[in-house]
Amino acid sequence: MSRPHAPAPLSTAPRRRWHYPLAAAGCGATTLLTLPLHDWLEPVNAVMLFLLTVVVVAARLGRGPAVMASFLSVGLFDFFYVPPRFSFAVSDIQYLLTFAVMLTVALLIGHLATGMRQRAEEAQQAARRAQALHALAHQLAGALTAEQVLHHLQAFMQDQLGADLHLWQPSLDHGLVLLQGDHTSTPAPSASLTLLARSIAQDSARPHAHHVQDEQGSSDGAGTHHVLLPLTGSTRNRGVMMVSLSTWAGPNAPDAQGNLRHHTDMLDAVSALAATALERLHFVDVAHQTELEVRTERLRNAILSALSHDVRTPLTALVGMAETLSLLQPPLSPQAQEMAEALRGQALRLHEMVSKLLDMARLQASLQGQRSHLPLRLAWQPVEEVVGASIQLLGTALAHHRVVVDLPSDLPLIQLDAVLMERVFGNLLDNAAKYAPPDTDIHIALMAEAEHLLVRVRNAGNGFPPARLQEVFALFARGEPESHVPGMGLGLAICKVIVEAHGGHIEARNPDDGGAEVCMRLPLGTPPTIEPEQP
């Protein structure tokens, strides 16, 4: 395992080796400066100069050199200033008190100066870290891809801690996928770390940070300490971030675990920034996809509307000319008359398809313009009249089928748009007639439930494909894609839009005894009270 370069926070040990000789040199320099002034300088002033030296050493070199300077200053003062001079003997017992007070004051001053120095360094380090986090947040705010987010995070960790960083993101199969970055020389995480990352991503109740020590090191005592943090977003987990710091055995080996635990707050802040950046990218993708879908839907509706209008006019003329051919005098031959009738029938079928396209385009345009609320002309009226009008409108489409209506006598009034609901019943009956065998019955059953009116339309056909029961109401969807029955897959889609606009629900099902059935529920509401007529 190759040793990483020593980052700034871990590279102070070589410089500290010179602190103690510098502290001793400072005490010696104070002695050399004050010794020629012994005859004019009072001992108390010499003590002040030695205490000043201790303050400077504590402020510049740290606690250990300050303690050494305190003891060394007392010894030098005793050796050079206290009689008998140039010996450690003390002729007057009061100098022992002087030594004790001098040592105590020197240690106290050194401790206070060291504390101030340490707090100043911590404040500077916190300011630098805050500035680095601010720069990282600015970089992540401009990232356009997850790879760019990973690149900025890896560069930040290398600059601040000399650590490696890996990032897992959720995959489409609800797993985790390792995001590949620019640092290709960094080894991929082991299988055990990948499993731990998956468990962290799935279990939101776990602790915030997870420290893992790599037990398998190289022959020179190298090892790796890992910290795994979940990237928790506002809606769900956005992945797992792992920070890895390598260590090696030796007198100057850094404590990776202690160093990473010391920077827990910074790691938490980085993970929060990473989660925010990844969540922002996710919502940007969702917004782009939604905008694309809206534009696609608008374009499709515009094409349908334009096509329907442009095709409807020549179709109307075609139907009129076919009817004119059948009314010519003298009459056409039987063969020509049959061809004119066939031409008229096919033109009417095509006209019906175009009318459905135009209706669907209008309905969807109304939904978009009215914020998903179709404008309805609601009125309280008996639903049996709507059913009867729909049966009469179909006419020849029901020539080979008998419609059986199960209609209770106590049905309440229903608030609905009669024109649109006639279209619903007409589409349901038309579909039932198309897919039912000839000379079979089509059943319509109405029943009042607690809060809804249940309507069932059923035929004796082969039923809906079981795997596509939820898809038959989609636009241009058909029960049998390769069916010989003519149609465009718009009838049930129109029914779904109209029923849901009324606050109801529609579904397709296959009864156990065969056939196909469409069930819809319409809200009953509270009909108005009808007062009896006065005699």
Side-chain angles (χ1 to χ4, degrees):
M1 180 182 296
S2 62
R3 296 180 180 179
H5 68 279
L10 303 177
S11 61
T12 57
R15 292 187 288 122
R16 289 177 180 174
R17 288 190 301 225
W18 297 96
H19 288 182
Y20 291 92
L22 289 176
C27 294
T30 303
T31 304
L32 292 177
L33 291 175
T34 58
L35 190 58
L37 304 176
H38 175 268
D39 296 334
W40 299 278
L41 191 65
E42 292 293 334
V44 64
N45 295 326
V47 170
M48 294 297 105
L49 293 176
F50 278 108
L51 292 179
L52 179 61
T53 302
V54 173
V55 172
V56 174
V57 170
R60 302 296 298 177
L61 302 180
R63 189 184 307 274
V67 173
M68 188 195 74
S70 300
F71 284 96
L72 189 58
S73 298
V74 173
L76 291 174
F77 178 76
D78 180 22
F79 189 82
F80 288 101
Y81 288 93
V82 177
R85 297 178 63 192
F86 305 110
S87 70
F88 290 103
V90 180
S91 61
D92 192 348
I93 194 66
Q94 65 178 353
Y95 282 107
L96 294 179
L97 179 60
T98 302
F99 297 156
V101 173
M102 180 180 177
L103 180 61
T104 303
V105 172
L107 291 176
L108 181 60
I109 291 176
H111 174 73
L112 294 176
T114 304
M116 293 177 61
R117 175 177 176 269
Q118 183 177 359
R119 285 191 291 272
E121 290 180 352
E122 291 177 353
Q124 292 177 359
Q125 184 179 5
R128 289 193 298 267
R129 186 177 302 167
Q131 185 178 4
L133 288 174
H134 180 269
L136 176 63
H138 181 73
Q139 292 172 346
L140 294 180
L144 300 179
T145 62
E147 288 74 14
Q148 293 182 3
V149 172
L150 177 61
H151 170 74
H152 295 313
L153 293 175
Q154 289 176 336
F156 178 84
M157 281 301 164
Q158 284 291 333
D159 293 338
Q160 295 297 315
L161 297 178
D164 297 325
L165 184 139
H166 293 87
L167 195 63
W168 286 275
Q169 276 193 291
S171 58
L172 296 178
D173 56 352
H174 303 287
L176 283 181
V177 58
L178 181 65
L179 193 61
Q180 300 295 331
D182 298 335
H183 296 272
T184 55
S185 60
T186 303
S190 61
S192 59
L193 291 174
T194 303
L195 291 176
L196 178 59
R198 290 178 180 175
S199 63
I200 292 173
Q202 295 173 359
D203 190 0
S204 59
R206 283 179 171 266
H208 191 71
H210 308 265
H211 293 263
V212 180
Q213 181 69 39
D214 190 359
E215 300 294 342
Q216 296 181 356
S218 61
S219 58
D220 60 352
T224 306
H225 187 78
H226 309 280
V227 179
L228 286 85
L229 302 102
L231 304 180
T232 306
S234 60
T235 56
R236 63 184 181 91
N237 197 300
R238 298 298 171 184
V240 177
M241 183 183 73
M242 184 179 73
V243 180
S244 305
L245 187 61
S246 299
T247 59
W248 59 91
N252 298 320
D255 180 12
Q257 181 175 357
N259 187 63
L260 289 179
R261 289 187 183 276
H262 178 69
H263 296 88
T264 300
D265 294 339
M266 184 184 71
L267 296 179
D268 291 340
V270 172
S271 65
L273 290 176
T276 303
L278 294 176
E279 192 167 46
R280 177 183 61 82
L281 293 178
H282 169 73
F283 286 134
V284 168
D285 292 339
V286 172
H288 287 171
Q289 185 66 25
T290 303
E291 183 180 2
L292 180 61
E293 292 177 357
V294 170
R295 290 183 178 181
T296 303
E297 188 68 22
R298 288 178 179 175
L299 179 60
R300 184 175 65 178
N301 292 337
I303 293 175
L304 287 178
S305 180
L307 182 63
S308 300
H309 281 93
D310 292 342
V311 175
R312 208 172 189 182
T313 300
L315 278 178
T316 304
L318 186 61
V319 172
M321 288 187 289
E323 291 180 350
T324 303
L325 288 176
S326 62
L327 298 176
L328 286 178
Q329 295 294 334
L332 298 176
S333 63
Q335 185 178 5
Q337 187 74 20
E338 184 179 355
M339 292 180 63
E341 290 294 332
L343 179 62
R344 179 177 177 276
Q346 294 298 323
L348 288 175
R349 281 183 51 196
L350 187 56
H351 187 275
E352 180 185 1
M353 294 180 184
V354 172
S355 298
K356 288 184 177 181
L357 279 174
L358 183 59
D359 291 342
M360 196 65 197
R362 288 175 176 172
L363 291 175
Q364 292 188 348
S366 299
L367 289 176
Q368 293 178 359
Q370 301 293 331
R371 297 182 181 178
S372 300
H373 291 287
L374 185 66
L376 302 176
R377 296 180 179 179
L378 299 176
W380 293 96
Q381 47 192 313
V383 69
E384 56 268 22
E385 294 184 1
V386 179
V387 175
S390 302
I391 296 175
Q392 292 181 358
L393 286 176
L394 287 179
T396 58
L398 300 175
H400 301 285
H401 302 278
R402 185 182 65 164
V403 179
V404 180
V405 181
D406 183 3
L407 188 66
S409 58
D410 57 347
L411 280 181
L413 298 179
I414 304 296
Q415 190 179 27
L416 47 80
D417 188 321
V419 176
L420 293 180
M421 289 307 300
E422 285 180 7
R423 176 60 58 88
V424 171
F425 283 103
N427 289 343
L428 294 180
L429 291 173
D430 186 35
N431 279 357
K434 287 180 180 179
Y435 291 95
D439 301 326
T440 57
D441 294 343
I442 298 175
H443 295 269
I444 301 178
L446 294 90
M447 181 177 63
E449 296 180 335
E451 299 179 355
H452 296 86
L453 173 68
L454 174 62
V455 180
R456 295 182 297 176
V457 180
R458 178 177 177 181
N459 68 354
N462 297 325
F464 297 102
R468 303 187 61 195
L469 286 176
Q470 304 298 327
E471 302 176 5
V472 295
F473 294 98
L475 197 62
F476 301 111
R478 304 190 63 192
E480 298 179 4
E482 303 299 332
S483 174
H484 63 281
V485 179
M488 298 181 63
L490 292 174
L492 292 181
I494 294 175
C495 294
K496 179 179 176 64
V497 173
I498 297 176
V499 171
E500 291 182 351
H502 281 79
H505 175 71
I506 188 169
E507 62 180 353
R509 57 186 296 267
N510 293 325
D512 296 335
D513 54 349
E517 185 177 81
V518 176
C519 300
M520 63 177 176
R521 286 178 169 84
L522 299 173
L524 288 177
T526 304
T529 302
I530 301 178
E531 298 181 358
E533 297 181 359
Q534 296 294 333

